[in-house]
Amino acid sequence: MKSDPFIPVLFDFPEFFETERLLVRAPQWGDGRAVNEAIRESLEELKPWMPFAQSMPALEESEIYVRDSRLKFLNRTVLNMLIFHKTEGTFLGCTGLHHIDWETRCFEAGYWLRTTCTGKGYITEAVNGITRFAIQELAANRIEIRCSARNARSAAVAERAGFLLDGILRLNTLGLDGELHDSKVYAKVRGAEF
């Protein structure tokens, strides 16, 4: 007998989680201002790696982004989440799960952090948190982190969070600099790393 198909939009799970220092939650209407301020502060550091940081977005564009992210979260197509300092309330950056395959329960984690908050372990804490969230709430079988082989800081986060390097895809991604980049593929899989 064939089971009923899985319908992601009907799948209920929390819209937030907490770690020791962080509150990580789904975007809400009005979050665009905080996101915009963080991008303004961090534009030069984000520009080599993030398509949204090729020029400074207008405040309205950042608000459109968070509203669109909210809708995608509710539709279960992309799970972007915002990172806040739990006690100070400061917006620190973003993490989330994208390239979601609900049938196999495979997810790709992404992240960025505002410049003034780097070097304090926040993004590794957030990545560990989103990984636990994917395992406990979404029944993940595989969680990946992909980054340009040239992005040493992003690769270091994956390694600090205990992701293993599955391999390097040679010259498979067109970088924002217009050149072909190798991509590092890190992963944690059920039965091995969790």
Side-chain angles (χ1 to χ4, degrees):
M1 178 176 230
K2 192 173 182 181
S3 64
D4 291 333
F6 176 75
I7 302 171
V9 75
L10 296 177
F11 183 34
D12 290 329
F13 51 84
E15 292 195 5
F16 72 94
F17 63 86
E18 294 184 14
T19 65
E20 181 183 348
R21 299 177 293 170
L22 307 175
L23 168 66
V24 182
R25 65 162 173 80
Q28 299 290 334
W29 274 212
D31 285 335
R33 182 171 300 284
V35 171
N36 190 268
E37 289 171 2
I39 292 170
R40 180 176 303 284
E41 170 189 306
S42 311
L43 192 64
E44 291 309 309
E45 289 79 15
L46 295 172
K47 190 177 277 191
W49 317 115
M50 299 294 184
F52 66 81
Q54 296 313 290
S55 61
M56 184 60 209
L59 178 57
E60 181 180 72
E61 291 174 295
S62 296
E63 184 62 26
I64 290 168
Y65 163 79
V66 298
R67 289 180 184 220
D68 183 57
S69 292
R70 175 81 184 148
L71 296 173
K72 288 176 180 173
F73 192 98
L74 294 172
N75 282 326
R76 310 310 195 212
T77 56
V78 177
L79 304 178
N80 290 328
M81 300 181 88
L82 307 183
I83 306 166
F84 294 88
H85 193 281
K86 194 160 52 173
T87 57
E88 298 170 9
T90 308
F91 173 72
L92 305 178
C94 293
T95 189
L97 300 167
H98 51 278
H99 298 124
I100 296 170
D101 184 332
W102 285 110
E103 186 175 347
T104 60
R105 298 296 171 114
C106 294
F107 306 86
E108 182 180 335
Y111 44 86
W112 66 270
L113 196 68
R114 72 188 306 159
T115 301
T116 56
C117 297
T118 60
K120 299 174 184 174
Y122 292 136
I123 204 64
T124 302
E125 186 175 330
V127 168
N128 285 330
I130 197 82
T131 301
R132 279 190 303 277
F133 180 81
I135 293 166
Q136 295 169 359
E137 303 295 342
L138 310 178
N141 289 312
R142 177 181 173 87
I143 305 160
E144 290 184 350
I145 293 175
R146 292 178 178 237
C147 64
S148 168
R150 299 179 188 184
N151 191 344
R153 294 178 80 180
S154 187
V157 169
E159 292 166 5
R160 280 194 306 271
F163 282 71
L164 300 180
L165 181 63
D166 268 2
I168 298 175
L169 305 176
R170 295 176 299 151
L171 300 179
N172 79 314
T173 302
L174 186 62
L176 295 169
D177 58 5
E179 297 179 13
L180 287 173
H181 289 221
D182 294 347
S183 293
K184 289 187 171 183
V185 181
Y186 292 89
K188 284 189 176 187
V189 298
R190 184 174 297 282
E193 290 80 35
F194 59 87

